[in-house]
Amino acid sequence: MLDVRDTFDLAMAIDLQRRGAPVVGNDLLLRADEHVAVVTGPNHGGKTALARAFGQIHHLTALGLPIPGTAAEIGLFDAMFTQFERPESADDGRGRLEADISGMREILAAATRRSVVVMNETFSSTSLADGIRLGSAVVRGLVETGARSVYVTFVDEIAELGAGVVSMTADIPADPSTRTFRVRRGRPQGLAHAEAMARRHGLDEDTLRRRITS
């Protein structure tokens, strides 16, 4: 069980406060039959910040410290695992995809139903088809294990896997150049952001057709 209201990424909040910018809080809810929150939406929309906040609130709770938010109910956990996108390293000798697969295999082997897992843009270095296949397999494995998880991804299909999976999406405002940093429960919005950007720059289908036929 996880129910936290108006939480935020502490590191980002400190930076925003220094710059005099507002801090936007978001809710995180995973009911007893919900295990993986899959977060999709436009770049720089608050997805990664939400994943970091998810990890921070669990870590701070384990230390017995206050967490960012207005109300919280957080179940106990035995271990926390993270898998964040990293640039390739010449010292590693592996590509990003191999490192992602190896890392997720280790997490799935070690995680239990009381574990917490945070994943950000895992498998983003591969093709869309492979990203769907690999990401879906990992999420299904986490649902089967019962681990409390957040998975940030560019692949909308993973958010619609069904039982045990909760879809969350970053808001797409009317002006696509702005960001609300609101992330809510709801179906993925697909190409909505790209379509809004195209309209803003006069590259949407209707405008292009008028230009071609005029």
Side-chain angles (χ1 to χ4, degrees), residues 6 20 22 39 58 95 97 102 116 127 168 204 210:
D6 300 310
V39 187
H58 283 90
L97 179 57
S102 176
V116 170
S127 67
M168 299 185 69
D204 57 287
R210 287 196 300 269

Side-chain angles (χ1 to χ4, degrees), residues 177-198:
S177 65
T178 64
R179 294 289 185 272
T180 66
F181 304 108
R182 289 284 182 192
V183 184
R184 312 173 195 267
R185 290 168 69 107
R187 293 192 63 188
Q189 301 187 56
L191 298 176
H193 180 251
E195 291 170 350
M197 288 288 288

Side-chain angles (χ1 to χ4, degrees), residues 53-152:
F54 178 84
Q56 289 170 11
I57 60 178
H58 283 90
H59 182 63
L60 291 171
T61 297
L63 295 175
L65 297 174
I67 67 166
T70 56
E73 181 179 351
I74 302 174
L76 298 174
F77 66 100
D78 57 11
M80 181 162 60
F81 304 92
T82 63
Q83 178 88 338
F84 274 66
E85 183 181 20
R86 295 181 179 86
E88 292 186 14
S89 171
D91 296 330
D92 191 344
R94 302 178 299 177
R96 270 178 49 196
L97 179 57
E98 183 180 356
D100 281 348
I101 292 173
S102 176
M104 285 313 308
R105 182 183 61 191
E106 293 173 4
I107 290 173
L108 287 171
T112 74
R113 64 180 181 83
R114 294 184 59 199
S115 298
V116 170
V117 180
V118 191
M119 298 169 290
N120 185 67
E121 301 290 3
T122 306
F123 308 129
S124 63
S125 61
T126 189
S127 67
L128 176 59
D130 285 344
I132 294 172
R133 182 169 57 87
L134 292 168
S136 297
V138 166
V139 169
R140 288 192 182 103
L142 290 169
V143 169
E144 183 177 349
T145 299
R148 193 183 313 156
S149 311
V150 161
Y151 187 4
V152 174

